[in-house]
Amino acid sequence: CGIVILHILGQGGALTCASRNDSRYWMIWWIEICAYCSVDLFALLSGWLEIKKKNYSIYRTLELIAVVIGYCVVITAVAFIIRPNALGSGKIIIKSLVPYLFGRYWYITCYIPIAILQPFINKMLMILSESQHKKVCILSVLLFSLIPTVLNRDLFAFGQGYSFIWLVICYMIGAYLKRRNDTTNRSHIRKRTCAIVFGMCSLILLAGKAIYDFIFKVDGHYFIEYTSPIVLLMSVVTLLFMEQLKVKIGSRFIEKMSTVAFDVYIIHCHILIFDIIICNHFRWITNMPIFLIPFVVVILAVIIYLVLSAIGIIRSFLYEKIYLNKLLKNIAIKVDKVIYDAER
């Protein structure tokens, strides 16, 4: 939902439409900042959930690739039937069919190698003692997050976090947090402390942006990027906060929705939907009363997530009915024997 919010406000045009002299501009940017940690959080969760995994298979990776290809074909076909003018030239059709070859779906492009290399990454991390693992995380944050962000220079070509290496670093940090959590058998930080730290970090980033904007008279993003140590800290405390939540009502529903989270990302980030349907179509948010903006943005994100999740569940059902999943499992069994059997 946080990633959907980023796209509603960013690609949707709300961030660029409002004036910095308008209080609604700062409300929209505060929401943006609060949601900015979502990408890091997703990568942290990968490390948290997978570091203790015992059995590995490339099946989920193959399924993800099949999901991307399936949506690209279907969305392109639907667009061709409904709005053929939207496709225009043959170049746009090619971009629509294989957007990942043109820089789209960057997260999945970077995530797939992590998924394939996961057993080897885990083995390297688990060889380290917990203390050594902690030191590697601290050094990584210092070298690849704090120093480049303070200097405002992309020293290691991380592309502000749009990179495979940054996701690996987040994976490694998430894995450490899980090891520490299991060792101590208790939460690292109390929920109240997590919430306070998150709130303070968001206000610090907002204040920093205000200073940067009014001094340099530009739309500054200093410290507001995925590799920012403050954004990373916000994602860490969010993970630790949510880890302590005990969901009793609707847990099965939430679990079902989580299985198609990538569907939500793949559908709404497809080039035709992202550049035509979403692009600049949420600028009207800037005309709303300021106190309504947070509620409307969150409700929009939840609605989009639920609708696209429903499509994802239907897609999952169809893949099962046409025996595509069975085919992928058979392929995965053969591939697993080659690359993973020795690791079991």
Side-chain angles (χ1 to χ4, degrees):
C1 285
I3 292 168
V4 174
I5 287 175
L6 291 178
H7 296 155
I8 288 173
L9 299 180
Q11 186 72 4
L15 286 179
T16 56
C17 185
S19 167
R20 67 170 59 96
N21 295 318
D22 189 339
S23 59
R24 287 172 291 194
Y25 173 87
W26 298 105
M27 172 59 77
I28 291 170
W29 260 105
W30 178 73
I31 300 169
E32 173 83 356
I33 288 169
C34 288
Y36 221 84
C37 67
S38 301
V39 173
D40 287 355
L41 176 58
F42 214 100
L44 288 173
L45 276 169
S46 297
W48 177 284
L49 296 171
E50 303 293 339
I51 186 60
K52 298 294 181 72
K53 191 174 181 179
K54 300 298 182 184
N55 298 315
Y56 300 98
S57 175
I58 203 168
Y59 167 68
R60 292 299 178 190
T61 305
L62 295 177
E63 182 188 36
L64 179 58
I65 294 171
V67 170
V68 172
I69 294 173
Y71 278 125
C72 288
V73 171
V74 171
I75 292 173
T76 303
V78 171
F80 184 79
I81 294 170
I82 297 176
R83 288 185 61 188
N85 293 334
L87 293 177
S89 65
K91 185 177 180 180
I92 296 178
I93 295 176
I94 294 174
K95 283 185 176 182
S96 180
L97 289 172
V98 287
Y100 37 86
L101 298 181
F102 297 88
R104 301 302 179 105
Y105 293 147
W106 76 268
Y107 189 93
I108 290 178
T109 304
C110 295
Y111 174 82
I112 286 175
I114 295 177
I116 295 172
L117 296 172
Q118 188 182 94
F120 309 106
I121 295 173
N122 287 352
K123 196 165 188 177
M124 288 187 286
L125 291 176
M126 293 305 290
I127 287 174
L128 301 175
S129 67
E130 191 176 302
S131 175
Q132 290 172 325
H133 194 163
K134 178 181 179 180
K135 290 177 183 178
V136 172
C137 291
I138 292 173
L139 286 172
S140 296
V141 172
L142 176 65
L143 293 172
F144 304 122
S145 176
L146 182 61
I147 293 175
T149 305
V150 170
L151 296 178
N152 199 22
R153 291 290 182 271
D154 190 7
L155 299 176
F156 305 102
F158 273 29
Q160 297 180 328
Y162 294 87
S163 73
F164 163 77
I165 298 298
W166 178 247
L167 295 190
V168 170
I169 291 172
C170 290
Y171 182 99
M172 180 176 63
I173 294 171
Y176 168 73
L177 293 173
K178 178 61 175 175
R179 290 182 69 181
R180 172 75 184 276
N181 186 77
D182 290 349
T183 300
T184 58
N185 199 27
R186 61 183 177 83
S187 301
H188 299 60
I189 310 174
R190 295 174 60 185
K191 286 189 290 185
R192 181 179 178 183
T193 305
C194 291
I196 292 173
V197 171
F198 184 94
M200 289 179 63
C201 286
S202 67
L203 293 176
I204 288 171
L205 289 176
L206 188 66
K209 175 172 174 55
I211 294 171
Y212 196 90
D213 278 21
F214 285 111
I215 289 178
F216 297 100
K217 304 298 181 182
V218 295
D219 183 12
H221 292 244
Y222 189 47
F223 266 82
I224 305 175
E225 54 191 32
Y226 298 139
T227 52
S228 165
I230 297 180
V231 173
L232 180 60
L233 177 59
M234 291 172 68
S235 67
V236 169
V237 296
T238 302
L239 172 60
L240 298 180
F241 177 90
M242 299 184 76
E243 184 270 334
Q244 299 175 61
L245 296 179
K246 306 299 180 185
V247 181
K248 296 181 180 179
I249 300 176
S251 58
R252 290 187 178 181
F253 174 77
I254 294 173
E255 183 179 359
K256 187 66 176 177
M257 292 298 100
S258 70
T259 61
V260 291
F262 268 126
D263 289 67
V264 176
Y265 172 78
I266 294 165
I267 295 170
H268 88 274
C269 285
H270 186 271
I271 185 170
L272 295 180
I273 295 176
F274 203 64
D275 291 0
I276 297 175
I277 297 178
I278 295 179
C279 184
N280 290 329
H281 282 88
F282 291 97
R283 301 176 71 176
W284 52 267
I285 291 174
T286 59
N287 298 321
M288 301 184 63
I290 187 171
F291 66 90
L292 282 179
I293 292 176
F295 300 101
V296 170
V297 170
V298 171
I299 290 171
L300 278 172
V302 171
I303 290 173
I304 291 172
Y305 189 92
L306 291 176
V307 171
L308 300 187
S309 292
I311 296 174
I313 292 171
I314 295 171
R315 186 275 312 160
S316 179
F317 175 78
L318 291 175
Y319 272 26
E320 196 68 41
K321 286 299 181 181
I322 64 174
Y323 299 104
L324 179 59
N325 289 345
K326 185 177 180 179
L327 173 63
L328 295 176
K329 287 176 182 177
N330 290 333
I331 296 173
I333 290 172
K334 295 180 180 180
V335 177
D336 291 343
K337 288 181 180 180
V338 177
I339 62 176
Y340 294 146
D341 260 13
E343 304 304 316
R344 291 178 179 173

